[in-house]
Amino acid sequence: MSTNLSGKYAIVGVGQSPLGKVPEMGPIGLFAVAARNAIEDAGLTKQDVDGLITRGPDDVYCHHQRVGEALGLNVTFSTSTANGGASQTMAVAMACMAIEAGVCNTVVVGYGRDTWSRTHRNAEAKQAVASRPRTYSEFGSEFGQFGAPVNYAIAARRHMERFGTTKAQLGAIAVAFRNHARRNPHAFMQKPLDLDEYLSARLIVDPLCLYDCSVFIDGAGAVVVTTAERARDLRQPPAYVLGFGFGNRLSGWFTDDNMITTGAREAGEAAYKMAGIGPRDVDTAQVYDCFTHMVLLQLEDYGFCAKGEGGPFVASGALEAGGVLPTNTSGGQLSEGHIEGMLQVLEGARQVRREHTPDRQVKDCNIALVTGHGGNTVCQSALILGREAG
Amino acid sequence: MSEYNKPLPPPSVESEPFWDGCRRHELLVPRCDACSHHWFPATTTCPECWSTDWVWSRVSGKGKIYSFGVYHRAYHKGFADELPYALVVVELDEGPRLTTNVVGCKPEELSCDMPVEVVFDDVTDDRTLYKFKRVNDP
């Protein structure tokens, strides 16, 4: 037996730190600023917070304890998550579950990392990168397997050969998100990008080029989750949590056809069912975009087009402002900056709050889908936010 | 002969028999005694039926390319002279997929589902890597 939590909880505050190159702040400091801003946005105070779910650099042991220490917080429920880029959407769902279970009432959820500065802050940081001991894993590094892009390049290649997907179609994703970023003053990448420039960019791991890869920046984002009942008395219009779902194909990215149809299929089906909606009801998507190809795969798996038709779908202009599915309307990780999906949670809430200026606001926005994926690419989480409770 | 300068991570307790097989120019993968499933890399339990009874089984070495990515940037100096080079996922006829290189052809000659077969490259006195070549290539 299950209880439907749809519409019972809401995001009531959103906040972010400065984004971009912020060498004067460390990862915990960035998080603290975002959390403070989210609580202030909600019209709440530190004393109202009794839950904390965080993620940051993987080398920070018990990250939530460091964040709680910086914020002087004592709470009933707190933990750090370890599901890679699937963590942030999952953490909002975990907050709802924790409140439903009665262990807390008002939860701060967030992510922060000094991703640019940790390798560029000063001479010591640069030296540390150059001299760090490298560890190699067997069955890969012997053959030249290094870094994340190759996993997505291999998936893109398979998709291209099976369905006829093209580089220019992946380019349509990069260009659409850059166009969104140029309307967002906080986005890191403000230079115009067109398809010609995309197609002539240097290759990283073919078929992926520079503009297929997300932009590493410093920054943090946080949201406040509480009950719908409480939300109605607070400062901002609530972004109701209408649905969430998960799909974790832990058997592996290279196993079966997991890189063609991902766990996003299961995550989406569960989230839509909980919300009582389908993909046609979604007004805007905020999709985890570490690489362009993952956007295309998720659009298929979340049901916006059939499997294999992601290429023509994105090339139709669907993701642009005024398109059938304006997507990553703050610029996404490809152009606003990579904060592990947390900024996509913020943007989904902002869109259903309808707080943007008209050039950035999705018209009549009622429902936003927010997605995350990570953890060696196989973990997927989905979140559906609504302007109304149901 | 110049010194071999690409990474050679030491075998783990579970992979040592595999690398010993490579040294003898034999491709070995775990095969479950209970359900005949083949998998890779080795673990204590069959991922299909969770049986702990399995053996290292010599396989045909034939398969096809599942997919590949072509590096245009060197992340390791040992590969700088080989750019562009392809990292290839090969699916063996018995089912398991291996990450590897395909020798004897350029990246632009590769395609998904291309038939390939194993070759062994004795890269140092005590290490041999499994690689693949196109079927019918010399």
Side-chain angles (χ1 to χ4, degrees):
Chain A
M1 156 155 190
S2 68
T3 308
N4 193 342
L5 306 189
S6 185
K8 288 184 75 176
Y9 303 100
I11 291 173
V12 295
V14 302
Q16 66 195 49
S17 72
L19 305 177
K21 297 176 181 175
V22 196
E24 67 277 18
M25 294 189 195
I28 306 298
L30 288 162
F31 194 117
V33 170
R36 193 200 76 104
N37 290 343
I39 283 291
E40 185 179 275
D41 180 61
L44 293 168
T45 67
K46 174 183 165 184
Q47 284 68 35
D48 295 305
V49 179
D50 58 3
L52 179 67
I53 308 177
T54 76
R55 186 162 170 266
D58 291 327
D59 54 6
V60 176
Y61 176 69
C62 285
H63 180 263
H64 60 289
Q65 296 179 7
R66 297 284 314 282
V67 170
E69 190 177 293
L71 291 168
L73 272 180
N74 297 318
V75 297
T76 50
F77 180 72
S78 81
T79 191
S80 317
T81 56
N83 227 13
S87 300
Q88 284 56 251
T89 38
M90 181 184 78
V92 174
M94 285 170 71
C96 298
M97 292 188 259
I99 303 170
E100 175 74 15
V103 299
C104 53
N105 265 305
T106 302
V107 185
V108 170
V109 171
Y111 176 90
R113 195 170 190 267
D114 57 338
T115 305
W116 183 83
S117 289
R118 60 176 37 220
T119 52
H120 296 84
R121 182 176 278 116
N122 49 34
E124 288 77 23
K126 289 176 187 167
Q127 182 56 36
V129 175
S131 62
R132 76 182 159 197
R134 297 183 66 166
T135 54
Y136 301 113
S137 50
E138 60 178 346
F139 313 126
S141 61
E142 303 93 331
F143 307 102
Q145 181 178 14
F146 306 104
V150 73
N151 296 317
Y152 305 91
I154 285 173
R157 169 67 58 193
R158 182 80 190 169
H159 200 277
M160 285 172 161
E161 294 211 12
R162 183 154 161 198
F163 300 113
T165 307
T166 65
K167 273 289 290 171
Q169 289 167 343
L170 294 182
I173 298 168
V175 169
F177 294 1
R178 182 62 58 86
N179 290 340
H180 292 309
R182 284 167 47 74
R183 292 183 282 268
N184 172 7
H186 299 292
F188 189 66
M189 300 302 288
Q190 295 288 343
K191 264 181 64 183
L193 175 68
D194 63 19
L195 202 53
D196 285 343
E197 189 179 346
Y198 169 87
L199 290 170
S200 59
R202 70 183 167 90
L203 292 164
I204 304 296
V205 182
D206 190 8
L208 301 183
C209 71
L210 183 65
Y211 297 119
D212 290 304
C213 306
S214 64
V215 182
F216 282 177
I217 62 166
D218 301 325
V223 299
V224 183
V225 180
T226 191
T227 63
E229 195 176 17
R230 182 130 196 249
R232 290 184 193 103
D233 302 326
L234 296 179
R235 181 180 289 164
Q236 299 287 359
Y240 293 98
V241 177
L242 300 184
F244 49 74
F246 316 100
N248 294 276
R249 296 197 176 194
L250 306 180
S251 59
W253 184 240
F254 286 34
T255 302
D256 301 325
D257 264 343
N258 288 350
M259 67 170 71
I260 295 291
T261 299
T262 73
R265 176 70 60 86
E266 297 86 78
E269 284 170 356
Y272 290 138
K273 186 177 175 205
M274 177 172 163
I277 66 161
R280 280 183 193 172
D281 300 306
V282 174
D283 298 307
T284 180
Q286 308 298 331
V287 174
Y288 194 93
D289 57 334
C290 46
F291 297 92
T292 50
H293 180 64
M294 285 311 298
V295 177
L296 188 146
L297 275 189
Q298 289 175 84
L299 292 169
E300 295 175 349
D301 290 338
Y302 284 109
F304 297 107
C305 59
K307 181 52 65 185
E309 291 177 8
F313 181 74
V314 299
S316 72
L319 315 187
E320 300 274 3
V324 298
L325 186 72
T327 296
N328 291 17
T329 45
S330 61
Q333 307 195 116
L334 291 166
S335 279
E336 183 183 30
H338 186 116
I339 306 292
E340 288 280 287
M342 196 62 220
L343 298 180
Q344 281 57 59
V345 179
L346 271 63
E347 177 66 5
R350 286 170 169 152
Q351 285 291 352
V352 299
R353 278 159 51 159
R354 299 184 188 170
E355 68 180 37
H356 283 311
T357 50
D359 61 328
R360 292 174 66 191
Q361 179 62 48
V362 174
K363 196 164 174 289
D364 302 328
C365 187
N366 290 316
I367 292 181
L369 171 71
V370 186
T371 76
H373 80 85
N376 296 322
T377 67
V378 298
C379 302
Q380 308 270 345
S381 308
L383 185 66
I384 295 171
L385 301 177
R387 185 170 176 82
E388 307 293 337
Chain B
M1 189 177 149
S2 63
E3 199 180 330
Y4 188 74
N5 66 348
K6 296 183 174 73
L8 285 174
S12 71
V13 63
E14 286 170 343
S15 69
E16 205 153 5
F18 171 82
W19 292 113
D20 287 345
C22 285
R23 211 153 29 228
R24 301 190 303 270
H25 290 200
E26 294 175 0
L27 190 64
L28 307 178
V29 302
R31 187 193 66 213
C32 179
D33 286 340
C35 77
S36 299
H37 181 64
H38 292 82
W39 75 94
F40 190 82
T43 54
T44 53
T45 48
C46 168
E48 197 67 26
C49 75
W50 293 9
S51 169
T52 53
D53 296 325
W54 58 271
V55 293
W56 285 101
S57 168
R58 186 174 179 180
V59 291
S60 67
K62 292 187 189 307
K64 58 188 180 179
I65 292 176
Y66 181 74
S67 189
F68 59 98
V70 182
Y71 279 80
H72 285 257
R73 199 192 127 181
Y75 289 77
H76 186 282
K77 60 182 179 343
F79 289 87
D81 292 341
E82 304 201 5
L83 295 175
Y85 70 90
L87 185 81
V88 182
V89 178
V90 167
E91 181 174 301
L92 298 174
D93 286 352
E94 292 82 2
R97 292 184 188 156
L98 307 180
T99 303
T100 185
N101 302 130
V102 172
V103 297
C105 65
K106 297 193 177 96
E108 58 268 28
E109 297 175 280
L110 300 173
S111 62
C112 296
D113 299 323
M114 176 186 278
V116 292
E117 61 189 359
V118 75
V119 292
F120 291 95
D121 185 356
D122 301 314
V123 295
T124 68
D125 288 346
D126 61 352
R127 290 300 298 274
T128 299
L129 297 181
Y130 57 97
K131 295 182 180 176
F132 285 78
K133 68 179 183 71
R134 286 181 291 195
V135 169
N136 300 326
D137 267 8

